Amino acid sequence: MLSIRIQEDDFDPGLIYNLVGKDRKDIGAKVAFTGLVKDFFELEEVTSLYIEHYHSMAKTQLKNICQAALERWQIKEIHLVHRFGLLKPGDNIVNLVLASHNRSDVFQGGTFIMDYLKSDAPFWKKEFNRKGSAWVNQSLADIQKMDSW
Amino acid sequence: MLSIRIQEDDFDPGLIYNLVGKDRKDIGAKVAFTGLVKDFFELEEVTSLYIEHYHSMAKTQLKNICQAALERWQIKEIHLVHRFGLLKPGDNIVNLVLASHNRSDVFQGGTFIMDYLKSDAPFWKKEFNRKGSAWVNQSLADIQKMDSW
Amino acid sequence: MQVYYFSWVREKVGTGQEEIQTNSNTVKDLIDELSLKGENYTLAFSNLEHIKVAVDQVFVSDFNHPIKNAKEIAFFPPVTGG
Amino acid sequence: MQVYYFSWVREKVGTGQEEIQTNSNTVKDLIDELSLKGENYTLAFSNLEHIKVAVDQVFVSDFNHPIKNAKEIAFFPPVTGG
């Protein structure tokens, strides 16, 4: 099962985590990943983070990335949510839950999806603090992580 | 922050996930892993799973494994719970939550802790079905995963 | 065709989306054509090393990629979501 | 010293824990001594390839490891938790 949502509204990572695979008896391993707004990154003392996105392409790309993971590993369920709009430090940005027979499939599948999402999904972050604002730059480390697959 | 519990009682993975790092503004990434009882493994149509453990040594070993992860990666919080006793398919066995600045630290740290736990923490599983029972054998794959670190 | 701009490319151009009638054959031709429209475009496309392109929502790494029959072209910096 | 048995080693020996007075110098000596106590012990220790040992809660891979002054020794098969 593959569920992908792109939304402005918040979500509840714990609630999603508990719902994935509920009542199934063939799930031996689940992994959740949540990306959150930090109060520092390119700027210090970040007061808010704006996430812009290219909606139609983002939906296609997230689906492609998840499909690639489903083909590569034994994964029973993938639930992915990515937010856009104006967020604050501590807010949820992205949430991924995978369920499978085995732990290595969910750990590897989860790492793979997040690595590709960071380099292939059209979302952009702009940080704001009291002094001004700055678009976040793509990190070389993120490109290398994707290329390592 | 390091929290390790070994208990017979159930726990709520979603609740734990939401509590870890709550009210912090320096957490950019969280990962949860949950291991659950499947209704098949060594046996078919498993009706229950008994988990035996060597309590004092298990506590020490889990602590050592988590400390090694804290030294190797930038991890702000580790919350680990492992159950023992008689469980049923669908029940939670083990739960791990990590929080950090970065996603690669939580994914790698989580994989590392689970790989070592599988080979170094004194817990043993016995499966029961209508026909009988069988102790679960350690898999070669699990030994290789630990050795790969 | 519809042309989209995101992130600081959008900010420099001054709009996020516009309808363009063009005879350009490739991405590069379109960029040259847009750059003539005004200083905001010239500035936005001044360093193509920092510009990613998607033709009909698919990443295109070669700026000589044809755009005939394309319905939408998007210009933006490397992505930073997640 | 306290001797612990877990999983199928416990089931074969027939007890999970016992107090042993011993003059054995090494893990191997203790296994030989225990094996003389009865068929249940002989059976439990019949194939040492499948037996792991912890001396005072630390894994010991060498069966010649000394056990003088040890407070607890545990015998069990490879672990399968998680």
Side-chain angles (χ1 to χ4, degrees):
Chain A
M1 202 212 135
L2 174 54
S3 150
I4 296 169
R5 281 182 293 148
I6 299 173
Q7 62 186 46
E8 191 155 10
D9 291 342
D10 196 14
F11 48 80
D12 183 332
L15 183 68
I16 297 169
Y17 193 51
N18 278 350
L19 286 175
V20 173
K22 193 172 180 292
D23 302 326
R24 290 184 75 146
K25 309 289 185 214
D26 61 340
I27 298 299
K30 295 204 305 187
V31 154
F33 172 84
T34 308
L36 303 109
V37 183
K38 286 179 291 193
D39 60 4
F40 62 94
F41 194 54
E42 303 260 328
L43 299 181
E44 308 258 309
E45 296 178 29
V46 169
T47 50
S48 60
L49 178 78
Y50 174 69
I51 300 180
E52 184 167 328
H53 78 304
Y54 181 7
H55 191 78
S56 52
M57 183 174 172
K59 282 194 80 166
T60 308
Q61 290 293 93
L62 293 183
K63 197 177 162 190
N64 290 343
I65 295 166
C66 291
Q67 292 285 8
L70 286 172
E71 282 169 29
R72 190 153 167 178
W73 291 280
Q74 284 205 325
I75 298 170
K76 299 278 182 189
E77 305 217 8
I78 300 180
H79 297 254
L80 178 59
V81 194
H82 200 300
R83 292 179 74 189
F84 60 86
L86 198 63
L87 309 179
K88 299 225 165 299
D91 282 357
N92 300 308
I93 298 170
V94 60
N95 198 73
L96 173 66
V97 179
L98 303 158
S100 172
H101 291 335
N102 311 302
R103 82 180 185 290
S104 60
D105 291 283
V106 285
F107 269 122
Q108 287 188 53
T111 307
F112 172 93
I113 289 171
M114 289 312 304
D115 283 354
Y116 271 85
L117 188 154
K118 280 272 173 184
S119 296
D120 269 6
F123 292 88
W124 300 270
K125 288 175 179 163
K126 188 178 192 174
E127 291 182 336
F128 293 82
N129 69 8
R130 288 198 187 84
K131 292 178 191 164
S133 65
W135 288 97
V136 171
N137 289 304
Q138 192 179 46
S139 78
L140 185 61
D142 280 337
I143 299 165
Q144 288 166 341
K145 271 170 212 148
M146 191 192 76
D147 287 344
S148 73
W149 287 102
Chain B
M1 203 213 135
L2 175 55
S3 149
I4 297 169
R5 282 181 292 149
I6 299 173
Q7 63 186 45
E8 191 156 11
D9 291 342
D10 196 13
F11 49 80
D12 183 331
L15 184 67
I16 297 169
Y17 193 49
N18 279 350
L19 285 176
V20 173
K22 191 171 181 292
D23 302 327
R24 290 184 75 146
K25 309 289 184 213
D26 61 339
I27 298 300
K30 295 204 304 187
V31 154
F33 172 83
T34 308
L36 303 110
V37 182
K38 286 180 290 193
D39 60 4
F40 62 93
F41 194 54
E42 303 261 329
L43 300 181
E44 309 258 308
E45 296 178 30
V46 169
T47 51
S48 60
L49 177 78
Y50 175 67
I51 300 179
E52 183 167 330
H53 78 304
Y54 181 6
H55 192 77
S56 53
M57 184 175 170
K59 281 194 81 166
T60 308
Q61 289 293 94
L62 293 182
K63 197 177 162 189
N64 290 344
I65 294 165
C66 291
Q67 292 286 8
L70 286 172
E71 281 168 29
R72 190 153 167 178
W73 290 279
Q74 285 205 325
I75 299 170
K76 299 277 181 190
E77 305 217 9
I78 300 181
H79 297 253
L80 178 59
V81 194
H82 200 299
R83 292 179 74 189
F84 60 88
L86 198 62
L87 309 179
K88 298 224 166 300
D91 282 356
N92 300 309
I93 298 171
V94 60
N95 198 73
L96 173 65
V97 179
L98 303 161
S100 171
H101 291 335
N102 311 302
R103 83 180 184 289
S104 59
D105 291 283
V106 284
F107 270 122
Q108 288 187 52
T111 307
F112 172 92
I113 289 171
M114 289 311 304
D115 283 353
Y116 271 85
L117 188 155
K118 280 270 173 184
S119 295
D120 269 5
F123 293 87
W124 300 271
K125 288 175 180 163
K126 188 177 192 175
E127 291 182 336
F128 293 83
N129 68 9
R130 288 199 187 83
K131 292 180 192 161
S133 64
W135 288 98
V136 171
N137 288 304
Q138 191 178 47
S139 78
L140 185 61
D142 280 338
I143 298 166
Q144 288 166 340
K145 271 169 211 149
M146 192 192 76
D147 287 345
S148 73
W149 287 103
Chain C
M1 70 182 62
Q2 290 297 317
V3 182
Y4 293 90
Y5 311 98
F6 294 99
S7 181
W8 56 254
V9 180
R10 171 182 57 73
E11 290 180 336
K12 286 187 179 174
V13 168
T15 183
Q17 180 182 357
E18 61 185 332
E19 169 96 29
I20 298 269
Q21 304 296 337
T22 181
N23 291 316
S24 292
N25 288 310
T26 67
V27 170
K28 185 72 183 69
D29 292 347
L30 178 63
I31 290 173
D32 291 342
E33 185 184 333
L34 290 169
S35 296
L36 295 173
K37 287 182 69 175
E39 212 172 304
N40 51 334
Y41 291 90
T42 316
L43 196 67
F45 291 109
S46 61
N47 189 341
L48 295 183
E49 271 183 37
H50 299 141
I51 302 275
K52 298 275 184 186
V53 186
V55 176
D56 287 337
Q57 301 172 24
V58 175
F59 278 113
V60 158
S61 56
D62 181 2
F63 279 42
N64 291 315
H65 192 90
I67 58 169
K68 284 282 173 203
N69 307 318
K71 283 179 191 146
E72 72 187 59
I73 315 262
F75 297 101
F76 46 77
V79 307
T80 55
Chain D
M1 68 183 62
Q2 290 296 318
V3 181
Y4 293 90
Y5 311 98
F6 293 98
S7 182
W8 55 255
V9 180
R10 171 181 57 73
E11 290 180 337
K12 287 188 178 173
V13 169
T15 184
Q17 181 182 358
E18 61 184 332
E19 169 96 29
I20 298 270
Q21 304 297 335
T22 181
N23 290 317
S24 292
N25 287 311
T26 67
V27 170
K28 186 73 185 67
D29 292 346
L30 178 62
I31 290 173
D32 290 342
E33 186 185 332
L34 289 169
S35 297
L36 294 174
K37 285 183 71 176
E39 212 171 304
N40 51 335
Y41 290 91
T42 316
L43 196 68
F45 291 110
S46 62
N47 190 341
L48 296 183
E49 270 182 37
H50 300 140
I51 303 276
K52 298 275 182 184
V53 185
V55 175
D56 287 336
Q57 300 172 24
V58 175
F59 278 113
V60 158
S61 55
D62 181 2
F63 280 42
N64 292 314
H65 192 90
I67 58 169
K68 284 283 173 203
N69 307 317
K71 283 178 188 147
E72 70 187 60
I73 315 260
F75 297 101
F76 45 77
V79 307
T80 56

